[in-house]
Amino acid sequence: QQKINEFQLIIFDRYARQGVLPIIYFDNITRYVRDGGAVLVAAGPDYASQTSIWRTPLDAILPAEPSGRTTEIPFHARLTDLGKRHPVTRGLEGSETDPPHWSRFFRLVDTRSANGTSVMDGPNGKPLLILSREGEGRVALLLSDHIWLWARGFEGGGPHVQLYRRIAH
């Protein structure tokens, strides 16, 4: 809480509220982002649950509200039209083919609404990676916990290191 401004990026990886962090911490993170900080949320089914990080003061900065459902079918992540031009996703290795030369994901958190730039999508055009600006800061929301398949080389993997590096910068 006292050293939050020393961070360049705060990452929540499949985070579910279990009483570990007091609510005041989420208030501080929201303020940190608006003052120029950055948050990355890599979400899985936890984001759609009653213990979702959405159900904290972070809902004011997160770019998509979970619907409470997940889609569990195999799909290839695809760059949106904006994603083909956005610096975070433009020219990602393997993106030049259709479907992209990346392994499939098998789960996506469904959302009700999105207030940001969807740069990657999943099945039926549902947002997969949403980027947004909040005040002076920025937020990235990855709506699947299956990027680890890219890291493990499943079906050839995908550009996970390149993507995460670009999101972090």
Side-chain angles (χ1 to χ4, degrees):
Q1 182 174 347
Q2 295 168 348
K3 296 183 179 192
I4 192 169
N5 292 324
E6 294 178 23
F7 289 96
Q8 293 182 2
L9 174 66
I10 296 173
I11 300 172
F12 290 95
D13 185 4
R14 297 172 295 176
Y15 182 85
R17 286 181 304 113
Q18 297 182 5
V20 175
L21 293 178
I23 287 294
I24 189 75
Y25 280 31
F26 296 107
D27 282 322
N28 290 338
I29 293 168
T30 298
R31 190 171 21 265
Y32 156 81
V33 168
R34 288 186 170 145
D35 290 345
V39 167
L40 165 61
V41 177
D46 48 83
Y47 193 69
S49 74
Q50 291 298 314
T51 59
S52 174
I53 197 170
W54 172 266
R55 299 179 189 285
T56 71
L58 291 182
D59 69 344
I61 62 165
L62 291 171
E65 178 182 0
S67 69
R69 296 180 307 274
T70 58
T71 297
E72 301 208 15
I73 59 171
F75 69 91
H76 283 96
R78 286 185 164 78
L79 298 183
T80 64
D81 288 340
L82 287 172
K84 291 174 184 173
R85 298 187 311 270
H86 197 283
V88 169
T89 48
R90 176 180 56 226
L92 279 176
E93 185 180 328
S95 67
E96 60 283 342
T97 61
D98 189 23
H101 188 66
W102 304 328
S103 65
R104 295 172 295 162
F105 288 13
F106 295 88
R107 181 170 35 228
L108 177 80
V109 178
D110 295 334
T111 59
R112 285 194 180 94
S113 61
N115 309 330
T117 303
S118 180
V119 294
M120 295 179 88
D121 60 20
N124 304 315
K126 294 178 180 181
L128 173 62
L129 177 59
I130 304 169
L131 306 175
S132 70
R133 292 230 173 242
E134 288 297 327
E136 297 297 315
R138 56 201 196 289
V139 178
L141 176 60
L142 179 63
L143 291 162
S144 179
D145 57 346
H146 283 184
I147 199 162
W148 67 269
L149 294 167
W150 285 8
R152 298 278 191 225
F154 174 74
E155 296 180 344
H160 65 286
V161 172
Q162 186 181 24
L163 180 61
Y164 275 144
R165 182 175 291 130
R166 289 180 180 187
I167 288 171
H169 288 103

